[in-house]
């Protein structure tokens, strides 16, 4: 998206200068003096550029003083008009809104920054709290826990599945996987397609190593240990609990425990 800045000249007040004759049409009581405020805007006003004055004949349209010309431009108006310009600049009292409006961006920007910092601080605390909550659930698993997990089987691509903890025996957990799986996703709508009802899980049990703590190699990950003909045990990675360290601010829970 591209924003283009614009210089705005906005009238504040105006008056007819009495006893001043237009040098072009020679009409009296038709010379109008206007006081403007000028500012630069980029969606909203953000930089004030001071006040300008303009003088024009309302009868013939002759411009005696253009508010857009340089202050060093040659004057085309009388001493009377110059005195009126000084008077209107000195006597006009701007409202608080007129004083602040040209600097809207400069006022709003710090507020936006403060709000963003406050939100970020609150969000970080929320993530930290969720991380502690997940760590407690993972390091102290209970039968019936259901995990939204990545799952890879027989060298297939990672998919999303519900994994249910059936029982724990010493340092071994027995888990079952949902019959249905979804393409790997961080979308709540996709995960809601998977049912956590008892009949939605496959009967095949997977014997996996019990989770370790945060500093361990098996925090929130499912490793199945196979023993070959020589008695050698080799780990096989099955998957991991989605967002197990709560690093992402997802809008759904990835660990469910019956209360």
């Amino acid at each position: 998206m591209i924003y283009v800045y614009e210089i705005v000249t906005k009238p504040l007040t105006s008056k007819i200068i009495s006893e001043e004759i237009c040098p072009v049409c020679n009409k009296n009581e038709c010379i109008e003096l206007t006081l403007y405020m000028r500012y630069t805007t980029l969606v909203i006003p953000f930089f004030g550029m001071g006040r300008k004055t303009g003088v024009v004949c309302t009868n013939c349209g002759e411009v005696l003083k253009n508010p857009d010309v340089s202050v060093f431009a040659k004057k085309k108006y009388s001493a009377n008009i110059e005195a009126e310009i000084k008077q209107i600049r000195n006597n006009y009292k701007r409202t608080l809104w007129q004083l602040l409006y040209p600097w809207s961006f400069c006022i709003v920007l710090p507020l936006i920054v403060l709000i963003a910092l406050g939100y970020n601080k609150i969000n970080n605390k929320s993530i930290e709290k969720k991380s502690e909550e997940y760590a407690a659930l993972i390091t102290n698993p209970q039968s019936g826990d259901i995990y939204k997990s990545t799952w890879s089987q027989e060298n297939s691509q990672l998919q999303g599945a519900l994994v249910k903890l059936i029982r724990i025996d010493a340092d071994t957990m027995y888990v079952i996987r949902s019959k249905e799986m979804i393409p790997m996703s961080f979308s709540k709508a996709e995960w809601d397609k998977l049912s956590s009802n008892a009949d939605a899980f496959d009967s095949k049990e997977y014997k996996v190593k019990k989770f370790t703590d945060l500093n361990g190699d098996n925090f929130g990950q499912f490793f199945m240990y196979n023993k070959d003909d020589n008695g050698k045990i080799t780990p096989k990675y099955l998957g991991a609990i989605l967002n197990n360290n709560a690093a992402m601010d997802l809008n759904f829970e990835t660990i469910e425990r019956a209360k």
Side-chain angles (χ1 to χ4, degrees), residues 6-234:
E6 179 183 6
I7 296 177
V8 177
T9 303
K10 186 175 182 178
L12 295 175
T13 186
S14 61
K15 63 176 292 188
I16 296 295
I17 302 176
S18 60
E19 300 181 2
E20 185 68 31
I21 299 174
C22 175
V24 175
C25 65
N26 294 317
K27 291 289 185 179
N28 192 15
E29 302 291 336
C30 60
I31 302 300
E32 184 179 50
L33 166 62
T34 303
L35 178 66
Y36 302 89
M37 69 174 177
R38 177 172 289 181
Y39 53 87
T40 305
T41 179
L42 184 67
V43 181
I44 64 173
F46 73 94
F47 183 75
M49 300 175 66
R51 294 183 297 170
K52 303 288 183 178
T53 52
V55 182
V56 65
C57 175
T58 58
N59 182 62
C60 67
E62 173 68 10
V63 177
L64 283 73
K65 184 178 187 299
N66 189 332
D68 296 323
V69 300
S70 169
V71 293
F72 301 106
K74 185 178 180 180
K75 298 178 181 179
K76 297 170 53 179
Y77 48 86
S78 66
N80 182 40
I81 292 178
E82 185 172 5
E84 290 287 348
I85 290 173
K86 290 180 180 179
Q87 185 181 48
I88 198 172
R89 291 179 65 90
N90 293 333
N91 294 343
Y92 180 77
K93 302 299 182 183
R94 284 174 288 180
T95 64
L96 180 62
W97 171 246
Q98 290 171 342
L99 286 169
L100 298 179
Y101 185 72
W103 302 95
S104 298
F105 184 82
C106 299
I107 297 169
V108 171
L109 181 60
L111 292 177
I112 293 175
V113 171
L114 288 175
I115 292 171
L117 290 174
Y119 173 80
N120 188 56
K121 187 174 182 179
I122 293 172
N123 190 51
N124 286 341
K125 285 186 177 180
S126 177
I127 291 176
E128 183 180 346
K129 182 179 179 181
K130 179 60 66 177
S131 178
E132 293 174 354
E133 179 186 334
Y134 275 14
L137 291 172
I138 292 172
T139 54
N140 298 283
Q142 294 181 11
S143 298
D145 287 352
I146 297 177
Y147 311 102
K148 291 181 175 67
S149 172
T150 60
W151 195 265
S152 176
Q153 193 172 4
E154 297 177 356
N155 298 320
S156 64
Q157 290 185 339
L158 281 178
Q159 293 180 283
L162 296 183
V163 177
K164 186 174 184 179
L165 177 57
I166 301 302
R167 63 185 182 279
I168 303 172
D169 183 8
D171 64 348
T172 301
M173 301 192 307
Y174 294 83
V175 300
I176 55 177
R177 174 182 61 79
S178 59
K179 296 175 183 177
E180 299 292 330
M181 291 196 290
I182 60 171
M184 182 53 207
S185 174
F186 295 104
S187 167
K188 182 178 184 298
E190 288 296 316
W191 284 99
D192 285 345
K193 295 177 181 179
L194 300 178
S195 172
S196 59
N197 294 334
D199 59 357
F201 289 88
D202 193 79
S203 59
K204 179 181 178 180
E205 292 186 357
Y206 295 87
K207 184 179 177 181
V208 299
K209 185 175 176 61
K210 188 177 179 181
F211 298 136
T212 58
D213 59 22
L214 277 168
N215 299 319
D217 297 329
N218 189 39
F219 179 76
Q221 300 184 69
F222 299 103
F223 279 99
M224 184 169 64
Y225 286 81
N226 296 327
K227 184 181 292 186
D228 60 21
D229 295 335
N230 298 320
K232 183 179 179 181
I233 298 177
T234 56

